[in-house]
Amino acid sequence: MSISSIRLLVADDHPVVRDGLVSMLSTQNDFEIVGQADNGHQTVILANDLHPDVILLDLEMPEMDGVEVIQELRSVQPDIKVLVFTAFDTDERILGAVQAGAQGYLLKGVSRDELFNAVRIIHQGGSLLQPIVASKLIQRVSQSKSDFPEKLTPRELEVLRLLAQGLQNKEIALELVISERTVKFHVSSILQKLDAGNRTEAVTTAIQHGLVKPE
C-alpha cells in the first residue's frame, strides 16, 4: 500500500453488504481497509485503536446505532471523519447524523464512483451530501423554522435568556431595570408565542430552536 493511502474502517452489520463494500473499496489503489466492524460498540473500539482516516458507517447496527457511535467517537476524537452510508433517508435520521458530526451522508444505491469520490472528499476535509439528502435536510430545517410560532421581540429575548439562567421575575426586573409587572407581561407573551405551559417548557423550546444556549 502507498504511504498516502486512505485508511478505511468499514462498519455494517450485514456481512454480505460489508464484504461487498470491502471488495469494492479495495479496487482503489489509494484505499486501504484497516478494519471491519459489525456493531456499534466494535466500531468505537476499532476506531479508537486504529485511528482510520475515514469511517464508512451504517446507521442501523446492534448495540449502538450510528448516531451514538458518531457522538461517542467525536467526544474522544473531535476531528474524526465519518461518512454515513445507509439505506435510511428519513429527515430525522439525516438531521441526527449531521448534527452528531458526520461529514457525509450517502444512501446505499449510489454508484461506485460516487462512493469513491465521497470517501476522497471526506478525507480531504470536505463534506458531502447527496442532492436528495441535502434537499431533505434543507426542508427539515426550513420546516422547523416555519413551525416556530411568532418572532420574539428583542426585549422578550433578553427576558428569555435570563429565564434560562434560572432568574425569577424580581431578579429579571432588577437586571433589566424594568418593573416586575413588565417582566410578568413579557413572560406571559413568551409562553404564548412559544406555546409553552410553563417557564421550563419555554426554555426547552427556545434551546431547541437556538434562541438561547443551555446553561
Side-chain angles (χ1 to χ4, degrees):
M1 278 296 168
S2 165
I3 193 171
S4 61
S5 293
I6 300 174
R7 303 172 68 255
L8 295 167
L9 170 60
V10 178
D12 196 299
D13 65 322
H14 294 94
V16 173
V17 174
R18 191 174 63 251
D19 290 346
L21 282 172
V22 169
S23 296
M24 183 170 60
L25 293 166
S26 297
T27 64
Q28 302 301 291
N29 293 329
D30 58 334
F31 291 174
E32 177 186 2
I33 310 300
V34 296
Q36 300 180 45
D38 61 10
N39 64 63
H41 182 63
Q42 185 181 34
T43 302
V44 171
I45 292 174
L46 289 178
N48 287 328
D49 286 345
L50 301 172
H51 296 281
D53 296 319
V54 177
I55 300 174
L56 196 63
L57 177 70
D58 190 13
L59 284 185
E60 190 73 14
M61 290 192 296
E63 299 190 27
M64 295 174 68
D65 68 22
V67 171
E68 291 175 322
V69 169
I70 298 170
Q71 292 170 334
E72 177 72 18
L73 287 176
R74 285 182 65 82
S75 69
V76 179
Q77 302 182 55
D79 298 325
I80 194 78
K81 295 181 173 67
V82 178
L83 172 59
V84 171
F85 190 59
T86 184
F88 294 97
D89 64 350
T90 62
D91 299 354
E92 291 78 9
R93 290 281 191 169
I94 297 169
L95 191 61
V98 172
Q99 288 179 330
Q103 287 84 1
Y105 197 112
L106 287 182
L107 299 178
K108 290 178 178 178
V110 297
S111 69
R112 293 160 54 101
D113 288 341
E114 284 180 285
L115 177 58
F116 298 157
N117 181 55
V119 169
R120 295 181 178 112
I121 288 175
I122 300 302
H123 176 249
Q124 292 168 3
S127 60
L128 187 143
L129 298 174
Q130 277 179 270
I132 185 173
V133 171
S135 176
K136 283 178 173 288
L137 185 59
I138 291 171
Q139 287 175 7
R140 177 59 186 265
V141 172
S142 298
Q143 182 65 34
S144 176
K145 289 181 178 178
S146 65
D147 283 346
F148 201 78
E150 291 183 56
K151 185 177 180 180
L152 300 181
T153 66
R155 177 61 87 185
E156 287 169 348
L157 285 172
E158 288 180 326
V159 172
L160 181 60
R161 289 176 185 129
L162 294 175
L163 283 177
Q165 294 174 24
L167 273 63
Q168 298 302 313
N169 288 353
K170 186 175 181 180
E171 296 170 313
I172 294 173
L174 290 172
E175 181 74 21
L176 299 179
V177 195
I178 58 179
S179 71
E180 192 171 347
R181 181 179 179 182
T182 300
V183 173
K184 290 180 180 178
F185 172 82
H186 287 312
V187 171
S188 177
S189 178
I190 290 168
L191 294 180
Q192 182 179 3
K193 288 184 177 181
L194 300 187
D195 193 25
N198 53 53
R199 292 167 179 246
T200 301
E201 187 178 349
V203 171
T204 301
T205 300
I207 291 172
Q208 291 173 341
H209 285 81
L211 293 177
V212 297
K213 296 180 179 178
E215 292 296 322

